[in-house]
């Protein structure tokens, strides 16, 4: 069987109820890249966090909206694009708090973006408030780096 | 759904034992939050969360632990977390949770830990 | 947990390699309607057959094209729309052969549309050759009929 | 992928035994077709297909059975199909395959059937 490649798009109603479905799809899809189980879980988690933010923050739990996740697979990288048409926000203006501080302030949130940053190799956010916001998550494939080492 | 969330509450050696299973995410975290809130509201500050059957956790689930830990410790109690499978443990590790939370092997170890060290400073 | 509802859209590259992924997604999705396993399998099979036809006939195995499956869930029915932008065909002009005849003629194909017809409650095809062809597959939910009986 | 396709070929009491598992669909059917074609090209018209580990079949898979059955029967052989799990059997039923194909319980029954009834008219 050839390596899986191309663009895969999933659109579901904006409800936390559909997070499990999104994870199931993303997990099944990227398992086919040959990444190990722990990597698959972490990437799936990053997508979960991004979609959760769209559902809870961008759309304020308005179920009539849709969450869109686009996955691009090739030999070099896995790229996710999570799109929303909500208000958008400026992640550069957002400074994640330290865990100690969140604990001291009894916060239940504030961990999602940090998890995404920890897991992904590259995180970019393009926003046009009210039109289209898109969070770009990139993971470079190690096997590709190895191959290049061997090539040289 | 694959891996729905499950939650049972019982008593264990004077502590409240909350056993969770399946997927703990932004959809299921409120149910978990309610269970801890109920314990705390009832004056129960010794909480054991058994994660043996938990197969997935996202930040929404971790946030529940985070939001209660100060309160129970202030009251001389703690949340002892046990039974983490490696996949779930990995997510705790990613966020540095082991520095703050008391993670133990199983329910017996959690009970033991409450006897030795009922609370812990964050 | 509330019954799952709404519109779910999946788009994947037009390759038979992705049929397993489509089935996995559709199966996971419609399992949540509470249908029994056999029903879930049959509906998943109908979608597989429709997507296979798009990949093999509409796009002649051109991997650069995309297969789109839209699923609508509500209390009354499960509706799939499988879209392609290929040449299209007129299913009314297509008369499925009997199994005996296919066997006698040593055919390996010709079973897909019959399976779809057998499984679904309603099958419609809307085609605008070269622009958009869409196969509509509808399954009415029995539990809904029961509920109406009780109501009356 | 969940349930990749698997195929093994062996000999069983003078017949060619093809054991298939996983998902037989438009993607994996060509491999199955090649296996039957190879048997037939080698003059082997007694074919047993063991589906014990087969968890899914679509029309592309059924089409492979359909396209060879006349040829092997003309040659005095047959394709005996065994080990169908209920989910897969259901798809054979939907298309009326049991009227045309010899479906038996297991490999032993298939061998037995070849002894009693080497071929069958469709
Ligand atoms: N897609 C988004 N749209 C609008 N605001 C967002 C979005 N994603 C994140 N945010 C903002 O960034 C904050 C931090 O997000 P995160 O780290 O995921 O924690 P949490 O979601 O638990 O608050 C959120 O509370 C929210 O204010
Ligand atoms: N989406 C489609 N686009 C073009 N032609 C189609 C499409 N679906 C079916 N057909 C035509 O109808 C025929 C019967 O389809 P089907 O019953 O699924 O059997 P098979 O695909 O095995 O030939 C096909 O051979 C093809 O000619």
């Amino acid at each position: 069987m050839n390596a899986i490649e191309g663009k895969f798009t999933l659109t579901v109603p904006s409800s936390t109820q559909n997070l499990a479905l999104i994870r199931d799809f993303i997990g099944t899809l990227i398992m086919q890249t040959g990444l190990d189980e722990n990597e698959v879980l972490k990437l799936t988690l990053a997508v979960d966090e991004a979609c959760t933010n769209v559902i809870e923050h961008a759309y304020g739990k308005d179920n009539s909206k849709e969450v869109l996740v686009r996955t691009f697979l090739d030999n070099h990288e896995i790229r996710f694009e999570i799109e929303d048409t909500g208000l958008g926000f400026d992640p550069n203006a957002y400074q994640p708090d330290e865990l100690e501080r969140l604990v001291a302030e009894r916060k239940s949130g504030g961990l999602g973006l940090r998890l995404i940053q920890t897991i992904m190799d590259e995180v970019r956010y393009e926003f046009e408030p009210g039109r289209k916001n898109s969070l770009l998550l990139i993971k470079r494939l190690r096997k590709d780096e190895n191959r290049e080492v061997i090539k040289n | 759904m694959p891996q729905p969330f499950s939650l049972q509450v019982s008593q264990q050696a004077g502590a409240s034992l909350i056993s969770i299973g399946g997927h703990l995410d932004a959809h299921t975290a409120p149910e978990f939050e309610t269970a801890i809130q109920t314990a705390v509201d009832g004056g129960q500050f010794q909480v054991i969360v058994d994660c043996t059957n938990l197969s997935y956790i996202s930040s929404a689930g971790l946030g529940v632990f985070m939001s209660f830990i100060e309160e129970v410790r202030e009251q001389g109690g703690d949340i002892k977390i046990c039974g983490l499978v490696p996949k779930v443990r990995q997510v705790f590790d990613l966020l540095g949770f082991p520095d703050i939370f008391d993670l133990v092997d199983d329910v017996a170890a959690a009970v033991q830990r409450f006897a030795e060290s009922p609370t812990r400073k964050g």
Side-chain angles (χ1 to χ4, degrees), chain A, chain B:
Chain A
M1 206 193 269
N2 293 327
I4 190 156
E5 272 194 49
K7 184 177 80 171
F8 301 78
T9 311
L10 179 64
T11 315
V12 304
S14 179
S15 158
T16 54
Q17 192 183 5
N18 295 323
L19 288 169
L21 185 72
I22 294 171
R23 290 195 300 271
D24 195 80
F25 175 72
I26 296 294
T28 304
L29 175 59
I30 62 181
M31 196 112 70
Q32 295 177 73
T33 61
L35 280 178
D36 74 42
E37 263 189 66
N38 286 335
E39 278 305 315
V40 170
L41 173 80
K42 283 194 278 185
L43 293 173
T44 304
L45 175 60
V47 172
D48 174 328
E49 297 295 343
C51 292
T52 299
N53 281 346
V54 169
I55 295 165
E56 299 194 329
H57 303 304
Y59 292 142
K61 307 203 174 183
D62 174 355
N63 286 4
S64 72
K65 297 285 197 282
E66 292 188 329
V67 181
L68 184 152
V69 184
R70 222 178 266 120
T71 307
F72 296 85
L73 299 179
D74 65 27
N75 285 325
H76 306 280
E77 60 181 33
I78 298 179
R79 189 153 49 96
F80 302 110
E81 276 177 30
I82 292 96
E83 256 181 45
D84 70 75
T85 56
L87 284 180
F89 81 118
D90 184 353
N92 299 317
Y94 174 82
Q95 186 60 38
D97 278 324
E98 284 310 303
L99 184 55
E100 283 71 16
R101 195 190 167 98
L102 292 169
V103 165
E105 295 183 353
R106 302 170 190 205
K107 291 276 172 64
S108 66
L111 301 170
L113 288 177
R114 182 201 307 251
L115 261 181
I116 292 174
Q117 294 282 359
T118 308
I119 293 167
M120 305 307 298
D121 291 321
E122 194 177 332
V123 178
R124 269 187 284 149
Y125 193 76
E126 288 158 12
F127 67 113
E128 306 174 52
R131 288 198 52 230
K132 198 183 83 171
N133 310 299
S134 123
L135 182 64
L136 208 75
L137 309 180
I138 298 175
K139 183 78 188 175
R140 297 199 183 81
L141 295 177
R142 304 280 164 258
K143 62 177 180 198
D144 187 54
E145 289 173 13
N146 291 341
R147 210 179 297 146
E148 302 219 345
V149 168
I150 294 166
K151 251 194 259 161
N152 295 342
Chain B
M1 202 57 242
Q3 306 276 13
F5 180 64
S6 68
L7 184 149
Q8 284 99 36
V9 181
S10 59
Q11 295 298 315
Q12 185 76 26
S16 180
L17 171 62
I18 303 176
S19 304
I20 54 179
H23 285 203
L24 182 57
D25 64 3
H27 191 62
T28 55
E31 187 181 342
F32 180 44
E33 187 173 4
T34 301
I36 302 202
Q37 189 67 61
T38 302
V40 167
D41 288 349
Q44 176 57 272
F45 304 108
Q46 295 200 334
V47 178
I48 301 171
V49 179
D50 181 7
C51 301
T52 309
N53 296 315
L54 193 70
S55 51
Y56 178 82
I57 192 165
S58 70
S59 76
L62 293 166
V64 176
F65 291 105
M66 192 168 74
S67 65
F68 283 104
I69 192 71
E70 279 287 296
E71 180 171 2
V72 296
R73 284 181 180 165
E74 250 176 34
Q75 301 287 340
D78 202 359
I79 300 174
K80 311 289 188 195
I81 303 169
C82 69
L84 295 176
V85 301
K87 270 199 198 172
V88 173
R89 164 82 199 209
Q90 154 181 260
V91 184
F92 278 76
D93 290 346
L94 280 174
L95 286 172
F97 265 52
D99 293 344
I100 297 203
F101 288 86
D102 217 352
L103 310 182
V104 295
D105 280 353
D106 51 24
V107 174
V111 168
Q112 176 80 1
R113 188 67 63 94
F114 268 125
E116 293 163 358
S117 157
T119 189
R120 177 177 157 178
K121 284 286 150 258

